Amino acid sequence: GGGIAYAQIWLCAGLPLNSPLLKPKFLLYEDAAVRLQRPTFLLSFSSLRQLVLNLQKSPPNPTVLKGDAFDEESVLSTLEGNSLSMSRRDTSTLRLFLALLFWDEECMISMLEILSKFAEPDVITSRTHFRLFVIGLAGFEMGRKNKDKSLIELASTCLDYFKTLTKLGSLSATPIYHLMKAVSRPSKSNYDEAISFCHETRLVHFEAMACERCGMLLKQEKRVDAANEYIIKAYWGYTDWGATSKANSMIETYPFLKEATRCYQTAQSDGSSTNMRVANYIGKK
């Protein structure tokens, strides 16, 4: 259980995907799961390792967990009962995250159908945070686009979870809450607030996601120059995180990124500290 929490925390915290510590650590845990004959533990580590590979190596379909580390369809076919249900929950969470990053709407809808009954906490906090985070983001996006009230309600349940933790002063929940709130009510000001919180807590991957979503919003509003500024910042954020596959996919979508440099004006700036911002926020409640 501690190993699974460690792996989930690595993902939630946005630590570098290309760290020399990551793969050896995962392989050690996988070896221990084999020796202890814990197939579901092995699935947890190998599926996370496959997610990292999908983010780095540009597979044909980046939202499918199939590659050198893990084959979801093959592994799940060997399980049954509660082991199958919980394992499908966890792999679907990872696939939903990939679908958000690579914007695969069909996959989002499919994964939300599986995860709709799992929008509640479990025994591992980091796993809960990550699952409710991706359900909330995808639920608001797909619910709004498809005018599906059930998805909006599902996402709102996730938003309330992080809102409660934010009121209690959780520094890990606060940036997620603001990002989810921005997705639920898209505006430049809401995204700027989310970007600020993610930046201050060094959640480089979530900051990149917020920048990208803001850029897409501004493009819809025909504010091209401002949109490109956010898109560039998102591109470098994903690059710094080590998500090479995602960064390359952005170049395909936005060819101007081929000439992008880091000499751009910061999309938003706020020099206040995270603790002060959270204290002020809580004080308003």
Side-chain angles (χ1 to χ4, degrees):
I4 294 174
Y6 168 88
Q8 290 284 344
I9 289 170
W10 190 293
L11 184 58
C12 289
L15 297 173
L17 298 178
N18 52 8
S19 168
L21 298 175
L22 185 58
K23 181 179 178 180
K25 196 77 170 181
F26 277 13
L27 289 173
L28 283 173
Y29 283 129
E30 289 177 36
D31 181 64
V34 171
R35 286 188 285 104
L36 295 172
Q37 299 183 343
R38 301 297 295 270
T40 56
F41 280 27
L42 175 61
L43 178 149
S44 295
F45 298 120
S46 58
S47 60
L48 277 165
R49 188 158 60 88
Q50 187 59 52
L51 176 138
V52 173
L53 291 174
N54 282 20
L55 289 168
Q56 292 179 322
K57 294 191 174 183
S58 300
N61 187 342
T63 64
V64 173
L65 294 174
K66 183 176 182 178
D68 295 340
F70 182 72
D71 183 336
E72 180 187 24
E73 184 177 353
S74 175
V75 172
L76 292 186
S77 69
T78 67
L79 303 175
E80 59 185 17
N82 189 61
S83 294
L84 174 60
S85 177
M86 295 299 98
S87 296
R88 191 180 299 279
R89 175 201 66 185
D90 294 343
T91 58
S92 296
T93 299
L94 300 182
R95 291 190 63 194
L96 184 55
F97 181 52
L98 290 169
L100 281 161
L101 287 174
F102 293 97
W103 205 252
D104 184 335
E105 295 182 6
E106 182 179 353
C107 183
M108 276 190 252
I109 293 295
S110 178
M111 295 304 104
L112 284 169
E113 290 177 0
I114 295 172
L115 293 169
S116 60
K117 59 184 177 181
F118 295 112
E120 57 187 21
D122 66 54
V123 296
I124 299 180
T125 301
S126 56
R127 184 170 61 193
T128 295
H129 274 30
F130 190 68
R131 184 174 66 256
L132 299 191
F133 167 66
V134 295
I135 292 174
L137 291 191
F140 281 125
E141 293 283 11
M142 294 298 96
R144 182 168 53 247
K145 178 169 184 177
N146 299 314
K147 298 181 180 179
D148 188 330
K149 292 183 179 180
S150 65
L151 288 181
I152 296 294
E153 291 173 358
L154 175 66
S156 297
T157 298
C158 299
L159 180 64
D160 289 342
Y161 169 82
F162 289 106
K163 182 177 181 179
T164 298
L165 292 177
T166 297
K167 286 183 176 181
L168 294 173
S170 169
L171 294 181
S172 61
T174 299
I176 295 176
Y177 168 65
H178 283 281
L179 176 51
M180 198 177 295
K181 185 177 74 171
V183 172
S184 70
R185 290 178 285 176
S187 71
K188 181 178 179 299
S189 61
N190 281 346
Y191 276 117
D192 279 344
E193 186 171 45
I195 290 166
S196 178
F197 274 106
C198 290
H199 180 76
E200 291 165 357
T201 49
R202 300 184 181 182
L203 298 176
V204 62
H205 53 341
F206 296 163
E207 181 183 359
M209 292 176 73
C211 288
E212 185 178 14
R213 297 305 302 153
C214 189
M216 294 170 69
L217 173 67
L218 294 174
K219 279 190 178 294
Q220 293 174 359
E221 297 175 351
K222 309 301 182 183
R223 301 165 64 181
V224 177
D225 290 342
N228 289 350
E229 184 180 318
Y230 282 84
I231 294 297
I232 291 172
K233 186 173 183 183
Y235 169 76
W236 287 116
Y238 290 127
T239 299
D240 290 343
W241 183 36
T244 307
S245 176
K246 169 59 182 175
N248 289 341
S249 74
M250 289 189 71
I251 292 176
E252 294 179 5
T253 305
Y254 309 105
F256 70 86
L257 288 174
K258 293 179 181 179
E259 308 299 328
T261 69
R262 291 181 184 267
C263 298
Y264 58 86
Q265 183 177 346
T266 303
Q268 53 75 42
S269 60
D270 187 337
S272 56
S273 70
T274 303
N275 288 339
M276 182 61 72
R277 288 179 62 91
V278 172
N280 289 340
Y281 180 77
I282 294 170
K284 294 177 183 179
K285 296 299 178 181

